[in-house]
Amino acid sequence: MASTPHRAPIRDLTQGPIARTLVAFALPILAGNVLQSLNGSVNAVWVGKYLGEAALTATANANNILFLLIGLVFGVGMAATILVAQAMGAKNLAQARAVMGTSASFFGAVSVLIAVVGFPLSRLILQWMDTPEAALPLAESYLRIIFLAMPLLYLFAFVSAVLRGAGDTRTPFLFLLLVVVLDVLLNPLLIFGWGPVPRMGITGAATATLVANAISFVAMLLWLYRRRHPLWIGRSELHLFRPQPTIVRTLIIKGLPMGAQIVLISLSMIMVMRLVNLHGVELSSAYGAALQLWTYVQMPAMAIGAACSSMAAQNVGARRWDRVDGTARAGVWANVGMTGLLIALIVLADRLVLGWFLPAGSAALEPARHLNHIAIGSFVFFGVTFVLSGVVRSTGAVIPPLVILGLALWGVRVPVAQWMQPWLGVDAIWWSFPISSLCAMLLSLAYYRWGHWRQAHMLPDGPAAPQATPAEVGGQPPTPVCSLGGDEPEANR
């Protein structure tokens, strides 16, 4: 299969104008983020308006758990994505496929284990979060189904991320579109029931997510097979799924710190959710509605940041350091412009858009507007941090971004939110967002300027010999994707 011509949309991110290439590569990612956010918002409208504030609180609490669980394996996916992108930049398709096989096996096994362990512990986890009693049974029903869907959610996200590392953003977008369409159609059907389909309530919302992801994931695998995508592993190459020790070690050593960043974010959000829950369902639902808005505000930063990470990694593999720095600059300015504009539009219309996620006449609307005005500006700072962290991680420098995030969240955000309440009241929670995000941005800028991230490596002693037939890209010979710093000492590994 390695020699079979492919028609899949692969983009070489080591060539062409940096800003234009970055934007063109990021647009399908941004469109996918829009789709995911619209999907979550539509689901929140069904749940909040028709099942009530307790149901909305339940989904907000359960989704915080989901974000935490994604973080547990997210780093492995990121490490695999960077390895694939570096290999594609180095024109070494065989190495990219070896990484794909090993990381798919590792990633799949861990996701199944999390689902099996988490399913029976759903209520205990939610109780630990101090989920309001009125929302607890609903949250448990919702979370148990999400645990069943976990392997599908993880594997779909993993394959999509690795394809983006290879320069293919169109394929993940197309199948994410299928997920969203199916989820939107299935939500009212399964929540309210129709004909032979029983009324499932909030459980129906989670079941719609499970079914939509299952159908789309299978369809994506079939599409990759039919199109003979360069990263597709056929029956004659099943040995590539046998884990290679060097790659597994890299996935763990580099992936755990990257996954720990998501865990730190998740735990801090859970801690904030606990602090909010102590003020009752009204404030919890206000915060839940604001969280729905913030998913849109994050979209430009996450799209540009993901594109920067893949683009930087390909250029690291090609040893084009001028383009790595250019990618960082273009990503920062694109993020500031796009995120700033979006924040301005949302603030002007926040009464309208927050009302979409709350029952008519809800007393939670004004608290939601108030907290949104305080906290929403923090996402400009967040975006800069996200872009710079993605660029420095593309070399394998994974510890400093973790330390910066830990300091900002647990050294600033949580203490401000908790300990400043005697002076600021509940506003201390909302002010903790811009204060901590500003600290993270300043630390990230300092590390990018003065840190030694350019000397970091992904693979420690050179890549394991790929167990696949070499298939060069663009007619160029494959080159190594490790030892990127030459003879300089390995730093920040």
Side-chain angles (χ1 to χ4, degrees), residues 197-214:
V197 179
R199 179 186 178 93
M200 300 175 66
I202 195 171
T203 305
T207 304
T209 298
L210 187 155
V211 174
N213 277 273

Side-chain angles (χ1 to χ4, degrees), residues 263-281:
V263 173
L264 284 178
I265 295 173
S266 303
L267 289 175
S268 71
M269 293 300 291
I270 289 173
M271 182 62 69
V272 170
M273 192 80 231
R274 290 185 68 184
L275 294 174
V276 174
N277 285 338
L278 294 175
H279 293 272
V281 170

Side-chain angles (χ1 to χ4, degrees), residues 6 45 92 105 235 261 269 295 367 432 452:
H6 64 81
V45 168
N92 190 342
S105 297
R235 285 180 297 179
Q261 294 183 56
M269 293 300 291
T295 61
S432 70
H452 301 289

Side-chain angles (χ1 to χ4, degrees), residues 240-326:
L240 290 177
F241 288 111
R242 186 168 59 248
Q244 297 189 26
T246 301
I247 297 176
V248 171
R249 283 196 300 272
T250 299
L251 293 176
I252 295 173
I253 293 172
K254 301 296 186 180
L256 287 180
M258 288 190 281
Q261 294 183 56
I262 303 301
V263 173
L264 284 178
I265 295 173
S266 303
L267 289 175
S268 71
M269 293 300 291
I270 289 173
M271 182 62 69
V272 170
M273 192 80 231
R274 290 185 68 184
L275 294 174
V276 174
N277 285 338
L278 294 175
H279 293 272
V281 170
E282 180 181 304
L283 196 63
S284 296
S285 61
Y287 181 58
L291 285 175
Q292 290 295 323
L293 266 190
W294 296 347
T295 61
Y296 291 95
V297 181
Q298 293 178 84
M299 287 190 302
M302 298 188 74
I304 295 295
C308 284
S309 184
S310 294
M311 187 168 176
Q314 282 203 15
N315 283 284
V316 168
R319 300 177 184 176
R320 293 291 309 274
W321 291 102
D322 57 323
R323 291 182 63 86
V324 174
D325 289 328

Side-chain angles (χ1 to χ4, degrees), residues 99 139 167 172 214 307:
V99 171

Side-chain angles (χ1 to χ4, degrees), residues 20 59 97 126 133 163 195 222 233 282 315 351 456:
R20 188 187 310 166
T59 57
R97 289 154 63 81
L126 291 164
E133 194 64 31
L163 292 178
L222 291 174
I233 298 174
E282 180 181 304
N315 283 284
R351 185 186 297 275

